[in-house]
Amino acid sequence: MKFSQDIPIKADYDVVVCGAGPAGCAAALSAAREGLSVLLVESASQLGGMAVTGHVSHWLGGRTQEGEWVVGGLFRQMAWETAEKGYSVIPHLDETQEYHPYGWFNWFIHGVPLDPYSVDYYLDTKMQESNVDVLLDTDFVSAEVRDGAVSYLILHNCEGLVAVGAKAVIDSTGNAEVAFKCGCPTVKGRPEDGKLAPASLIFHVYNVDTDKLTRAIERNRDPKFRALIRDLRDRNIWKFPYDIFICTKLTAEGEYYINTDRLTGIDPTDAMSLSKGYRQGRSEIHELMDIFRKYFPGFENVRLKSIAPRMGIRESRRIMGDFVMTEKDLVESRRFDDTIGFSMYGWDLPDPDRPSVQPFANDTPKGYIPKKEKSLYTPLPYRIMIPHGIRNLICPGKSVSVQGQVLGPVRVMAPCMAMGEAAGAASAEVVERSVSYNDVDISRLKEKLRGYGCIVDYEALPVIYPRKDQI
């Protein structure tokens, strides 16, 4: 059927950001810092995206195992500010301990655990202080494209359908939603069958005995409890398709986020598929809680605090720009002149059919990681954010123009903030000089980002070498 309606134009902005996850929040703050008028649009009722509404309450991928910063700029600033307020924790390496509850392995302190119920308030305050207008509970619906540029975005909320004008648009939806509906080429899933990496419905628990849990991990030398799960599977108690237990301590004592369930066959662009995933996820969470209480040390008295209202999606649509970063680029540690940030995270994108297996890490011959300085860093070229076909649209976050498995290190939150900050800064030139995002002066952009404390140069990275358990 056809549907036609006159809708009101509510306002005009220099920049409209769709999606208020880590990339979108950083993009909005960065664009506002440039003196631009900014509207941030979010379909949920709070800012923060997967870190908050998705309960993946760990800003990952921004530091080394020694605690040195790989992502600077807004990520580092927000990590410091939230830690000072008690909303997050910045873990530090203790060489006397083999395991620690913020990631268990000593090299896994590159994340910043946070309290989602405080960070959403913190982000509200940041946007207010930066004069960013925010529309929550508001969905992007469509766009009007004139002469290869977005002129208006069509939104829907409690007021019905409304339009907002934009000189530049930042698509940080995680689904390439704006790019897709503007007709930009996108891909989804692996080439042979379109299957996507498993999703997870994250949940938070409390009343965990951290000391007892830590002693069991030290005794068994496995934070993921593989042997216990194998035994439970042999006894027909563990009936799930995944075989690892993943928990990470949050800011409060005895509170953890659990990232154990891996839901296969979920398509985040299909409403029925997502709905089925939520029901399946909640069912499995309650089954898991019963198993944890009976069999997992330290979890005897565990209680369920919350189940995420937003599904944790590892993989969705990706734009296909003029440039695509490949797995070979990562393996060969290729360098890019237009690098605007880095990731310190592994090749973590589980197999669609084997949810506890990392194809790029497990199926590639050992020794493929070059044994040279900085080989664990993944560069973030500016080009991967540029979709084909729309000159005033840029897509920071996990919907970038990369080969499938490259999403592993690119998709996590600190590098998404780095991309968002670069996209917001680049918007100044797009708005003020009426150029396309593709024609932004990269040298000038990188110089600007350096001035904001961003790490954009290989020479500024800490020198590290791969550890045996990271290969």
Side-chain angles (χ1 to χ4, degrees):
M1 59 177 280
K2 277 197 169 187
F3 176 80
S4 178
Q5 176 185 333
D6 291 331
I7 60 176
I9 298 173
K10 299 291 287 187
D12 292 289
Y13 290 88
D14 292 326
V15 179
V16 176
V17 182
C18 292
C25 285
L29 292 171
S30 175
R33 186 173 58 191
E34 299 297 316
L36 304 175
S37 61
V38 180
L39 174 66
L40 178 59
V41 178
E42 169 56 40
S43 60
S45 59
Q46 56 192 163
L47 304 176
M50 282 297 104
V52 174
T53 317
H55 279 22
V56 188
S57 302
H58 212 119
W59 283 329
L60 290 173
R63 304 194 310 149
T64 69
Q65 59 260 38
E66 283 78 26
E68 297 177 271
W69 298 91
V70 175
V71 179
L74 285 170
F75 165 68
R76 180 165 50 190
Q77 176 190 337
M78 291 196 286
W80 281 338
E81 288 178 355
T82 52
E84 287 172 1
K85 294 176 182 293
Y87 302 163
S88 71
V89 175
I90 300 179
H92 295 283
L93 185 67
D94 184 349
E95 292 287 2
T96 67
Q97 294 181 335
E98 188 169 0
Y99 299 105
H100 67 88
Y102 293 116
W104 297 113
F105 297 107
N106 255 348
W107 51 262
F108 199 97
I109 62 164
H110 53 74
V112 176
L114 55 92
D115 172 21
Y117 307 104
S118 300
V119 167
D120 58 354
Y121 162 67
Y122 164 79
L123 291 170
D124 285 341
T125 304
K126 291 291 285 186
M127 297 305 161
Q128 195 169 15
E129 291 172 347
S130 300
N131 295 315
V132 173
D133 286 348
V134 176
L135 277 178
L136 299 173
D137 277 332
T138 299
D139 292 300
F140 164 77
V141 176
S142 188
E144 181 177 85
V145 177
R146 297 176 183 172
D147 300 322
V150 175
S151 54
Y152 289 95
L153 296 171
I154 313 301
L155 310 175
H156 181 268
N157 54 28
C158 59
E159 299 176 30
L161 291 171
V162 298
V164 292
K167 296 176 183 174
V169 179
I170 299 176
D171 178 355
S172 49
T173 59
N175 280 337
E177 203 72 34
V178 182
F180 176 74
K181 289 179 178 175
C182 287
C184 301
T186 61
V187 295
K188 188 175 63 173
R190 59 188 183 189
E192 61 268 30
D193 55 16
K195 288 185 177 181
L196 295 152
S200 290
L201 191 59
I202 307 298
F203 58 108
H204 289 187
V205 299
Y206 66 100
N207 235 25
V208 175
D209 186 333
T210 295
D211 289 339
K212 190 171 183 179
L213 173 62
T214 303
R215 287 196 301 271
I217 287 171
E218 290 173 340
R219 182 172 61 251
N220 299 320
R221 303 184 65 78
D222 182 13
K224 296 184 178 180
F225 285 95
R226 290 177 178 87
L228 173 59
I229 290 172
R230 279 196 300 270
D231 176 63
L232 293 174
R233 189 184 296 285
D234 291 343
R235 295 159 60 189
N236 204 33
I237 295 169
W238 189 277
K239 301 176 183 180
F240 313 107
Y242 35 89
D243 358 306
I244 54 176
F245 169 72
I246 300 175
C247 77
T248 301
K249 190 175 183 299
L250 296 168
T251 55
E253 187 55 47
E255 292 194 4
Y256 287 76
Y257 92 80
I258 310 294
N259 185 8
T260 294
D261 62 290
R262 302 286 173 96
L263 307 173
T264 59
I266 304 300
D267 183 346
T269 67
D270 181 318
M272 193 62 75
S273 177
L274 264 181
S275 300
K276 177 184 174 183
Y278 280 112
R279 294 195 301 273
Q280 178 186 342
R282 284 189 283 267
S283 174
E284 291 188 11
I285 285 168
H286 284 276
E287 291 180 58
L288 285 167
M289 287 294 291
D290 289 339
I291 293 172
F292 292 163
R293 291 189 189 100
K294 291 177 183 176
Y295 302 104
F296 280 65
F299 281 76
E300 292 82 357
N301 300 306
V302 71
R303 301 293 299 274
L304 181 62
K305 181 177 181 179
S306 59
I307 297 175
R310 181 65 58 89
M311 184 76 71
I313 300 297
R314 294 177 174 85
E315 182 182 15
S316 185
R317 290 191 203 98
R318 306 187 308 278
I319 60 170
M320 284 290 100
D322 295 335
F323 169 76
V324 180
M325 188 160 73
T326 66
E327 296 165 4
K328 185 178 180 183
D329 292 332
L330 265 65
V331 170
E332 295 180 353
S333 297
R334 183 181 170 192
R335 296 191 174 198
F336 301 93
D337 292 338
D338 61 337
T339 296
I340 45 79
F342 296 89
S343 171
M344 173 57 196
Y345 196 67
W347 293 327
D348 176 10
L349 196 72
D351 188 282
D353 300 313
R354 301 172 294 166
S356 296
V357 172
Q358 309 293 345
F360 203 41
N362 293 74
D363 297 347
T364 308
K366 298 298 182 184
Y368 64 89
I369 300 179
K371 296 298 180 71
K372 63 181 181 180
E373 297 177 2
K374 305 178 177 64
S375 62
L376 285 180
Y377 299 122
T378 297
L380 306 169
Y382 174 81
R383 283 171 282 174
I384 63 175
M385 299 189 287
I386 309 298
H388 183 76
I390 303 293
R391 63 176 182 271
N392 66 338
L393 176 64
I394 191 168
C395 303
K398 71 172 183 280
S399 58
V400 288
S401 181
V402 299
Q403 203 172 353
Q405 284 296 317
V406 177
L407 275 182
V410 166
R411 66 184 175 85
V412 292
M413 297 183 200
C416 283
M417 288 191 203
M419 288 186 277
E421 184 166 7
S427 300
E429 194 171 344
V430 173
V431 170
E432 293 162 4
R433 296 183 53 233
S434 298
V435 301
S436 72
Y437 277 107
N438 215 25
D439 292 327
V440 165
D441 186 318
I442 297 299
S443 297
R444 188 181 305 164
L445 173 62
K446 292 182 70 166
E447 188 60 35
K448 182 184 291 186
L449 292 172
R450 289 187 197 100
Y452 292 135
C454 301
I455 298 171
V456 300
D457 302 301
Y458 291 87
E459 295 72 25
L461 291 168
V463 175
I464 58 171
Y465 294 88
R467 297 186 178 197
K468 184 178 179 182
D469 50 6
Q470 289 174 292
I471 299 177

